């Protein structure tokens, strides 16, 4: 997973593009995306999901920049989800 777009009426503060990024890369990404912040609806602790807010004046340019980094294979963006456990059949 690398990113997702969110625009919903609940928690409008978190609308925008969410970037998946391991915690150790947040500081370097914040140098390129100063407006980047943690997603507040996920709790107070910093998570792998970081938000580029939709209400930023240069939102589109920032998202295109993030997409460019993804296309170049930037290791700071992206996370492999944990494998889900399969439910056992009760047959």
């Amino acid at each position: 997973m690398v990113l997702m777009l969110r625009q919903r009426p609940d928690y409008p503060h978190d609308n925008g593009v969410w970037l998946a990024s391991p915690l150790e890369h947040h500081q370097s990404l914040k140098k390129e995306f100063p407006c980047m912040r943690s997603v507040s609806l996920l709790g107070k602790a910093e998570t792998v999901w970081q938000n580029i807010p939709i209400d930023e004046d240069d939102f589109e340019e920032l998202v295109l920049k993030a997409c460019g980094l993804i296309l170049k294979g930037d290791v700071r963006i992206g996370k492999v989800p944990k494998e889900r456990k399969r439910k056992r059949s009760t047959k």
Side-chain angles (χ1 to χ4, degrees):
M1 297 183 83
V2 290
L3 61 81
M4 68 178 199
L5 177 63
R6 180 184 195 280
Q7 186 168 0
R8 293 183 46 169
D10 58 328
Y11 296 96
H13 180 74
D14 287 327
N15 286 341
V17 167
W18 293 12
L19 293 177
S21 174
L23 298 174
E24 64 266 18
H25 297 301
H26 288 186
Q27 288 306 317
S28 66
L29 281 172
K30 285 181 183 179
K31 290 177 184 173
E32 297 196 45
F33 304 98
C35 65
M36 190 177 84
R37 61 183 183 225
S38 290
V39 175
S40 60
L41 74 88
L42 298 177
K44 292 184 180 187
E46 195 163 355
T47 69
V48 298
W49 288 106
Q50 296 291 293
N51 179 285
I52 297 175
I54 199 167
D55 57 0
E56 284 295 312
D57 290 337
D58 55 349
F59 173 75
E60 290 86 2
E61 291 84 9
L62 293 170
V63 173
L64 287 172
K65 182 178 182 177
C67 290
L69 293 174
I70 291 165
L71 287 171
K72 290 179 183 176
D74 193 311
V75 297
R76 298 175 298 170
I77 301 175
K79 182 176 181 332
V80 176
K82 293 180 182 177
E83 190 173 318
R84 292 183 177 182
K85 294 181 180 180
R86 292 184 181 196
K87 292 183 179 181
R88 296 174 103 181
S89 178
T90 57
K91 290 184 179 179

